[in-house]
Amino acid sequence: MTATAPDPLRDVPGRIMAREMAEQPAVLRRLLDEGAPAIRQVAQDIAARNPRFVLLTARGTSDNAALYAKYLLEIRLGLPCGLTSMSTTTAYGARPDLTDVLVITVSQSGGSPDLVASTRAAREAGAITLAVTNNPDSPLAGVSEYHVDVMAGPEKALPATKTYTASLLALYLFVEGLRGGDGAPAKPLPDLAEQLLARQDEVRSLAARYRFAERMVITSRGYGYPTAKEAALKLMETSYIPALSYSGADLLHGPLAMVDNVSPVIAVVTDGKGGEALQPVLDRLRGRGADLFVVGPAHEVERASAGFVLPTEGVAEEVQPILEIIPLQLLAYEVTIARGQDPDAPRALAKVTETH
């Protein structure tokens, strides 16, 4: 028997998260090359049943992926969507009539009891149920009528990275399948993701600027808003920095008052209508002297205190979130390392959170 060679990086903080972030281009390619036909078939089967509206169910990182799907479904298909409150079913026993409603449940593990219970109840109430998971053998996949595998491979790091971008791409391909599209705008994503990951030294320099931040505000609009929420979650669960995420519109309705020239503001500026809608917010932030960090196109980064330029030219607005989150994953990782902490071992967290 040949002994397994010891991992020379076993004791290096963040090695698992770093490895899984680096896998993202390969995961995106696999999903496009191997997963797309099955996703398209599921979409065609569901489209033939003509759902009248959509409910999305998720927790944590998967909830941010579900919010992205909500934007896609409402903008690309004109289907009204809602994000469910699972406790209405699991705690209060509500049983709404879900006949001809598409219920999409997004979960990395597919193992949380409340997700399984609410999906089972939705199916019993007449819903068309679809599970989007990284585990086709999960309890959630078992109780759902349809399943989409995000094909990210085992994810061992507590902060979800590759499963998030894979979930976004799977949901995009599913929505494209519903509308009869071919998903061609997603084709450049693996190569572009590879280019972004190669710029980790650039992010490391930016992370030094925010090492001692006591609070961060993250904002965006449109397709970029789920990215703002996911970036805030990554920063909080790895570096423990309180990170508050707001839609740009909501930021103007009160929370703007807390912005000063000390606490950094990260703006995710999608190149498209979402970025255009964010402009009044950016103007107000600059007017308040905010330490403004922009993730977006070059012309937006040039007007900020700091930033990271995204390759958005020729990239459809609706798929930019799959790229936007990558430098922010790297930022959370690098800030955490700079603060002397281990992003692989966030305190008080478990890989599968079993809520009821």
Side-chain angles (χ1 to χ4, degrees):
M1 176 181 284
T2 303
T4 302
D7 183 353
L9 301 178
R10 186 178 66 179
D11 298 323
V12 176
R15 69 179 180 86
I16 303 174
M17 183 179 177
R19 183 177 65 232
E20 292 180 350
M21 286 190 294
E23 290 175 12
Q24 289 177 108
V27 170
L28 297 176
R29 286 192 187 97
R30 181 164 61 244
L31 198 51
L32 287 168
D33 294 342
E34 302 173 24
I39 294 173
R40 189 178 303 113
Q41 185 60 60
V42 168
Q44 290 172 353
D45 291 348
I46 291 175
R49 297 174 66 173
N50 196 27
R52 54 194 173 100
F53 62 87
V54 182
L55 291 174
L56 294 140
T57 304
R59 297 281 192 203
T61 285
S62 294
D63 196 39
N64 300 326
L67 180 59
Y68 168 71
K70 183 177 187 293
Y71 277 93
L72 285 172
L73 287 159
E74 291 183 341
I75 295 170
R76 307 283 286 172
L77 288 177
L79 269 176
C81 298
L83 299 175
T84 62
S85 300
M86 278 174 278
S87 61
T88 62
T89 297
T90 60
Y92 291 92
R95 292 296 183 265
D97 179 5
L98 298 179
T99 305
D100 297 328
V101 173
L102 172 58
V103 173
I104 303 174
T105 307
V106 187
S107 171
Q108 173 196 330
S109 68
S112 186
D114 58 349
L115 293 169
V116 175
S118 64
T119 300
R120 181 187 292 111
R123 189 170 180 180
E124 291 171 352
I128 306 161
T129 52
L130 167 66
V132 179
T133 81
N134 194 39
N135 183 1
D137 298 320
S138 64
L140 178 60
V143 300
S144 300
E145 187 175 359
Y146 298 97
H147 179 256
V148 162
D149 185 357
V150 305
M151 302 180 70
E155 187 167 59
K156 298 180 180 179
L158 285 173
T161 54
K162 65 179 182 177
T163 52
Y164 179 70
T165 48
S167 295
L168 295 188
L169 180 54
L171 287 163
Y172 170 75
L173 293 172
F174 171 71
V175 174
E176 281 296 284
L178 287 178
R179 62 191 295 271
D182 61 4
K187 296 296 185 184
L189 295 178
D191 289 343
L192 293 173
E194 207 157 44
Q195 293 171 25
L196 294 176
L197 288 162
R199 295 165 61 190
Q200 186 160 356
D201 288 347
E202 183 181 337
V203 178
R204 188 173 298 121
S205 299
L206 291 165
R209 179 185 181 98
Y210 303 113
R211 176 181 177 184
F212 298 108
E214 295 183 358
R215 181 187 68 203
M216 288 187 178
V217 174
I218 308 177
T219 189
S220 188
R221 289 203 70 179
Y223 286 114
Y225 181 41
T227 306
K229 291 175 68 67
E230 175 62 11
L233 178 59
K234 284 292 155 284
L235 282 161
M236 288 189 287
E237 69 183 356
T238 56
S239 69
Y240 318 140
I241 296 173
L244 309 174
S245 59
Y246 295 98
S247 156
D250 288 333
L251 186 62
L252 295 182
H253 284 267
L256 184 69
M258 70 178 172
V259 173
D260 53 30
N261 61 359
V262 177
S263 298
V265 178
I266 299 175
V268 181
V269 186
T270 305
D271 193 3
K273 292 182 179 179
E276 293 169 9
L278 193 63
Q279 290 307 311
V281 183
L282 299 176
D283 291 341
R284 292 285 296 277
L285 289 169
R286 284 188 286 260
R288 291 185 63 83
D291 180 357
L292 181 60
F293 177 110
V294 165
V295 175
H299 66 273
E300 296 291 352
V301 173
E302 289 168 0
R303 302 173 63 204
S305 308
F308 186 97
V309 176
L310 282 177
T312 58
E313 185 174 354
V315 180
E317 181 180 3
E318 60 268 20
V319 298
Q320 289 178 34
I322 299 169
L323 301 177
E324 289 166 349
I325 191 58
I326 292 175
L328 293 167
Q329 291 172 346
L330 292 171
L331 181 69
Y333 172 88
E334 292 293 350
V335 167
T336 304
I337 295 294
R339 288 163 71 97
Q341 295 154 198
D342 185 354
D344 284 342
R347 62 194 182 205
L349 293 185
K351 190 60 185 169
V352 178
T353 304
E354 294 192 355
T355 47
H356 295 269

